[in-house]
Amino acid sequence: RWDTTSMSARVGALEEARERYERHEWAGALEVFREVERDAALTGQDLEQIAWSTRWSAEPSDWFDAFECAESAFVEEGDRRGAARMALELARHNVQAMNPTAGQAAMVRALAHLEDEPESPEHGFAHWCMAYPFTEVGDLSTAEAELHEALDIAERLEDRGIEALAK
């Protein structure tokens, strides 16, 4: 027999964690998500919110793991764009943390997730991410081409976030 009282409490706690996240209460959201995580199946979106909450309130080693868990969950759910988004964040943050090998591996995964997917903001974000390493090695013309492609995608999709990054 199902224990509907505890199930109801878990659902309520999960909603509380999501609401705290929406209010940008990162530490509070993370605390409640961690309590719920032990007893409830979390979605890729929930794990993405854990990853960002961890990023904005905890140690870097924790948030790298959180982004990897979110990527895996999105893969299991068949959400290739979500998986790509998490892999792109891992690529970006690893490169910025001076871990280019892990960054390259994450970028390869991100591009594989996006393969054969309709054009999306994640495609624009991928081009933006690819500009950074070219800038680092002094290949400014290739970096500029990547940024132009990111901007073109942002304009076609009317995505202000990617547009702001690409400019």
Side-chain angles (χ1 to χ4, degrees):
R1 181 169 174 201
W2 291 95
D3 180 355
T4 56
T5 304
S6 63
M7 188 182 306
S8 200
R10 285 191 301 267
V11 170
L14 187 54
E15 286 306 313
E16 178 187 348
R18 291 170 179 159
E19 288 169 8
R20 285 183 178 203
Y21 178 86
E22 291 302 319
R23 290 191 307 265
H24 301 175
E25 296 174 10
W26 316 123
L30 185 57
E31 180 182 335
V32 178
F33 270 127
R34 292 290 186 212
E35 290 171 12
V36 174
E37 187 176 37
R38 291 187 293 263
D39 300 319
L42 300 178
T43 66
Q45 184 176 353
D46 292 329
L47 292 169
E48 180 176 7
Q49 290 180 351
I50 288 173
W52 283 113
S53 296
T54 303
R55 168 68 175 97
W56 292 317
S57 64
E59 292 296 313
S61 62
D62 293 339
W63 57 265
F64 280 106
D65 292 343
F67 277 102
E68 288 172 357
C69 288
E71 180 186 358
S72 293
F74 280 125
V75 167
E76 287 178 24
E77 293 169 6
D79 182 347
R80 294 172 56 126
R81 285 179 49 198
R85 192 170 51 253
M86 297 300 92
L88 288 166
E89 289 297 345
L90 284 163
R92 175 171 74 117
H93 290 103
N94 271 297
V95 168
Q96 290 173 343
M98 304 303 222
N99 190 352
T101 303
Q104 288 173 336
M107 179 57 79
V108 167
R109 289 194 318 275
L111 295 175
H113 294 316
L114 290 174
E115 193 172 318
D116 299 326
E117 287 293 300
E119 187 173 70
S120 66
E122 288 79 9
H123 288 88
F125 189 41
H127 285 284
W128 180 82
C129 287
M130 287 188 285
Y132 183 80
F134 289 114
T135 302
E136 288 293 302
V137 297
D139 186 350
L140 300 182
S141 62
T142 303
E144 185 177 18
E146 292 293 346
L147 291 173
H148 280 295
E149 185 59 29
L151 184 57
D152 289 345
I153 291 170
E155 289 172 348
R156 280 193 298 275
L157 299 176
E158 299 179 4
D159 187 298
R160 298 284 182 223
I162 299 301
E163 182 178 355
L165 287 173
K167 287 186 172 182

